[in-house]
Amino acid sequence: MSEPQRSRAVFSSEDFRLIRNAIAYYVREVQDDPEASKYANLYHRLGRVG
């Protein structure tokens, strides 16, 4: 039997930085929206990843 192939990362560290910056910008734009806190939480979670 052959070994299963290793999975490849979908996003690079650079991608996480770019996504995090985009979310930070979006959070500032929609800060009065009730959904803004969800994006702020996502921003912080991405900070732990990348």
Side-chain angles (χ1 to χ4, degrees), residues 2-13:
S2 63
E3 293 184 27
Q5 289 184 338
R6 287 184 69 190
S7 60
R8 295 182 186 190
V10 176
F11 295 112
S12 70
S13 297

Side-chain angles (χ1 to χ4, degrees), residues 2 22 26 30 32-34 36 40 43 48:
S2 63
Y26 183 75
V30 298
D32 296 329
D33 187 318
Y43 172 83
R48 289 182 270 169

Side-chain angles (χ1 to χ4, degrees), residues 5-46:
Q5 289 184 338
R6 287 184 69 190
S7 60
R8 295 182 186 190
V10 176
F11 295 112
S12 70
S13 297
E14 178 72 9
D15 293 337
F16 280 110
R17 188 183 65 77
L18 292 170
I19 293 167
R20 192 167 185 253
N21 287 342
I23 293 171
Y25 174 81
Y26 183 75
V27 168
R28 286 190 300 272
E29 292 296 311
V30 298
Q31 60 188 345
D32 296 329
D33 187 318
E35 294 271 310
S37 65
K38 292 180 183 179
Y39 289 97
N41 291 336
L42 176 59
Y43 172 83
H44 290 292
R45 287 194 305 273
L46 285 171

